[in-house]
Amino acid sequence: MFEIGRAVELTGTVRQFQWTNPHCYIQLVVTGADGTEQEWSLEMGAPMHLQGRGWGPRTVKAGDRIRVTIFPLRNGRPGGELQAATTLGGRPLGKVS
């Protein structure tokens, strides 16, 4: 489902952080070089696994600007598996794996 090993970096604005079972998601709005916005759906692990890695239901919220590294979807759609997330200042937002 994901292109494991092909890391892509994105910077955008959180539209929604879904702290749900079986997986959590970040909906990230990314503005392209041409000025168009595209929403990316970034899949994470289960809440119980993420909590032990420093994540919580309020780690990110709508409106936060973040930088992420993902393994993108193989089908080319705007989505992927989250590998790392930081604030724009470089502060890590928990660990994913």
Side-chain angles (χ1 to χ4, degrees):
M1 181 169 170
F2 304 108
E3 289 189 50
I4 305 301
R6 184 170 90 83
V8 172
E9 289 189 12
L10 302 169
T11 300
T13 303
V14 175
R15 186 184 69 75
Q16 183 180 37
F17 180 41
Q18 301 167 20
W19 186 258
T20 57
N21 276 312
H23 296 126
C24 297
Y25 286 86
I26 295 175
Q27 299 303 122
L28 189 70
V29 177
V30 177
T31 303
D34 63 357
T36 60
E37 292 183 341
Q38 187 173 47
E39 185 170 326
W40 288 69
S41 183
L42 311 178
E43 186 172 345
M44 303 170 73
M48 67 180 230
H49 294 202
L50 292 171
Q51 202 162 22
R53 294 180 174 101
W55 287 89
R58 292 178 189 83
T59 301
V60 294
K61 61 186 181 320
D64 286 352
R65 300 263 307 144
I66 63 172
R67 182 170 293 119
V68 298
T69 302
I70 66 165
F71 290 152
L73 290 169
R74 285 186 184 165
N75 64 12
R77 297 181 103 172
E81 180 182 53
L82 187 73
Q83 296 304 302
T86 65
T87 65
L88 294 186
R91 182 178 56 83
L93 296 170
K95 296 179 184 176
V96 179
S97 52

